[in-house]
Amino acid sequence: MQAFRPLLALLVGAATARALKMNSWQARLDKALLDVDLGLGSRLRLFGKAVTDPALAADVQRSLSAIRASGFAQGHPEAIDTLFPMGTTARADLEGLAALRRQIPEVLQQQRRQPLSDAPRGAVPLPPLPDAAEVLSSLVALATDREKQASLREETKDLLRRTPKGLETPKYAVVRTLDGPGTLGAAELRAYEPFTVARTSMRGSGAGAAGEGFNTLAAYLFGKNERAQSMAMTMPVQTAMRDADGACAQPSSMAFVLPARFADAPPAPLASSGVRIDTVPARLVAVQAFAGLATDEEVQRQRAQLLRALADASLAPADGAELILLQYNSPLTVPWRRRNEVALEVAGGIAAARAAAAAGAAAIVGGAAPDSEPAGGVAATAVASAGASAPLAARPSQDESDEL
């Protein structure tokens, strides 16, 4: 990873010009209305600056003119690009809601196709109702324990966050973005550091098999192992998909990333648990993010889109690479805010990563800034994920961003 640091610094420095301008009225209004972590005073200050910005009236007028000139069907894309540019939460919400229009019918159709025999094997019966005294004791503890109250507030906010806070993830650096119409931004090439996972094989497909795999891994993570060692939940949940004749078939395995402090010496799984420990080596991975529900059809669409982006960049998946579905959110998260990704290992490994980083840096320095770069862009991800010693201009502090 040290070999990437100079290239990442160049990417970070150049990316500040590509990111959504944090002092624009769109960014201020978006933050004032949709940022779940902002205090009331900061919301009011940002809202006031947004609505008094002369550019707001000009942009609204330009959007209305585009719709009048071209009609709503042809003019509304320009209006949306002007009022809700890529990088705003509002834009991601709009595209997430649009995705749900096709995903929800697919979920319903998938449920109708699901045979009863695919119900999870060995399903655990519903637990008995909790004891009333225990419930009362828990409520009293919650009412008097500030730490528990803060934890509950954060968990509640996570239901509205695209990426939950406080959960550990594998370390990676974004070395290049790839052109494409992704709803949550362009596809990315990521150089991942090695990490360790707990994995279980999937039997069948659909919600039943996914639930069984999740429960098996959660039991291991929360203490059903040889050490009775409880570990913190991490993200994302990784589901490997079999790939046959150029089309993804049913899931083959599900994996939880282990916290880094357990990576070298993880607790041994119980012999009958069906869990095994795997080490995922350092590798170059192409990733396409999407919002909403990860239906079979949506995964196929995103896979096809990712393959097109790779082909356009003269890259290809590694031989035998499995498609990996990455899911970051609780099932209770509002559907249009859910962050999902499809990922494929890229042929060429570290050598391809160096070439991709060099090509990406040249493209950023020499080309015009694309309108579709998300806020923070390469800069935010590289600094946050890789710890690169690069400028932090693209990531203002909370106090600074409140006053923009």
Side-chain angles (χ1 to χ4, degrees):
M1 189 59 64
Q2 293 293 333
F4 296 136
R5 294 288 167 85
L7 291 170
L8 288 171
L10 178 58
L11 288 168
V12 170
T16 57
R18 291 159 47 102
L20 172 73
K21 291 183 179 179
M22 298 304 293
N23 63 348
S24 66
W25 72 263
Q26 293 99 329
R28 285 170 169 162
L29 189 61
D30 191 72
K31 193 174 181 68
L33 297 179
L34 296 175
D35 190 327
V36 299
D37 296 307
L38 213 58
L40 179 60
S42 297
R43 288 185 194 280
L44 293 175
R45 286 193 296 272
L46 285 171
F47 184 82
K49 289 181 179 182
V51 298
T52 57
D53 190 331
L56 186 151
D59 286 339
V60 170
Q61 184 58 47
R62 184 181 305 114
S63 301
L64 292 174
S65 298
I67 292 174
R68 281 197 297 266
S70 306
F72 183 79
Q74 299 297 322
H76 82 275
E78 181 181 344
I80 289 175
D81 281 339
T82 301
L83 301 178
F84 310 108
M86 287 293 290
T88 58
T89 300
R91 174 63 171 265
D93 283 349
L94 287 172
E95 296 191 347
L97 288 166
L100 284 176
R101 292 180 60 190
R102 64 172 181 263
Q103 293 166 355
I104 289 176
E106 291 169 355
V107 169
L108 297 176
Q109 183 64 28
Q110 187 170 320
Q111 289 177 342
R112 286 193 289 267
R113 294 196 306 259
Q114 193 74 27
L116 293 177
S117 59
D118 276 358
R121 300 183 180 101
V124 178
L126 291 175
L129 292 175
D131 181 79
E134 292 181 2
V135 173
L136 181 60
S137 176
S138 298
L139 291 175
V140 170
L142 180 61
T144 57
D145 190 324
R146 292 182 180 273
E147 186 175 334
K148 288 184 178 180
Q149 292 169 8
S151 177
L152 180 61
R153 283 195 298 270
E154 287 303 305
E155 289 178 9
T156 302
K157 288 179 180 179
D158 275 344
L159 304 183
L160 295 171
R161 289 175 176 140
R162 189 152 280 109
T163 303
K165 280 191 174 182
L167 298 185
E168 190 176 336
T169 64
K171 291 183 179 180
Y172 66 85
V174 176
V175 295
R176 185 180 174 186
T177 56
L178 304 175
D179 292 336
T183 58
L184 296 184
E188 297 176 341
L189 284 180
R190 297 176 183 171
Y192 274 90
E193 295 183 8
F195 59 94
T196 304
V197 301
R199 190 183 305 277
T200 188
S201 298
M202 301 277 284
R203 296 180 292 182
S205 60
E212 184 179 14
F214 187 96
N215 290 337
T216 297
L217 293 171
Y220 166 79
L221 203 68
F222 298 149
K224 287 191 175 181
N225 51 62
E226 292 288 354
R227 286 191 223 157
Q229 173 74 62
S230 180
M231 295 169 275
M233 189 67 187
T234 60
M235 64 181 179
V237 175
Q238 305 188 7
T239 305
M241 316 290 285
R242 292 192 185 94
D243 199 358
D245 299 326
C248 357
Q250 64 184 18
S252 60
S253 68
M254 180 179 287
F256 283 8
V257 180
L258 296 187
R261 71 189 187 95
F262 294 102
D264 293 334
L270 298 176
S272 60
S273 66
V275 175
R276 64 183 186 275
I277 304 300
D278 289 341
T279 298
V280 180
R283 55 185 182 165
L284 181 67
V285 177
V287 177
Q288 177 66 65
F290 65 98
L293 307 174
T295 64
D296 294 343
E297 293 84 354
E298 188 65 60
V299 170
Q300 288 279 25
R301 285 190 291 267
Q302 297 297 329
R303 174 184 179 275
Q305 183 173 301
L306 181 58
L307 288 172
R308 286 195 298 271
L310 283 173
D312 290 343
S314 300
L315 295 168
D319 289 342
E322 285 187 308
L323 183 75
I324 309 295
L325 173 64
L326 309 177
Q327 295 175 286
Y328 288 78
N329 309 93
S330 157
L332 299 179
T333 302
V334 292
W336 60 90
R337 288 269 175 99
R338 292 182 187 175
R339 175 185 172 189
N340 312 291
E341 297 172 342
V342 292
L344 283 166
E345 184 178 356
V346 175
I350 299 303
R354 292 195 179 98
I364 292 172
V365 173
D371 295 332
S372 60
E373 181 67 14
V378 176
T381 310
V383 173
S385 301
S389 54
L392 297 180
R395 301 182 68 233
S397 70
Q398 183 70 54
D399 292 340
E400 290 171 335
S401 61
D402 289 349
E403 300 301 326
L404 289 173

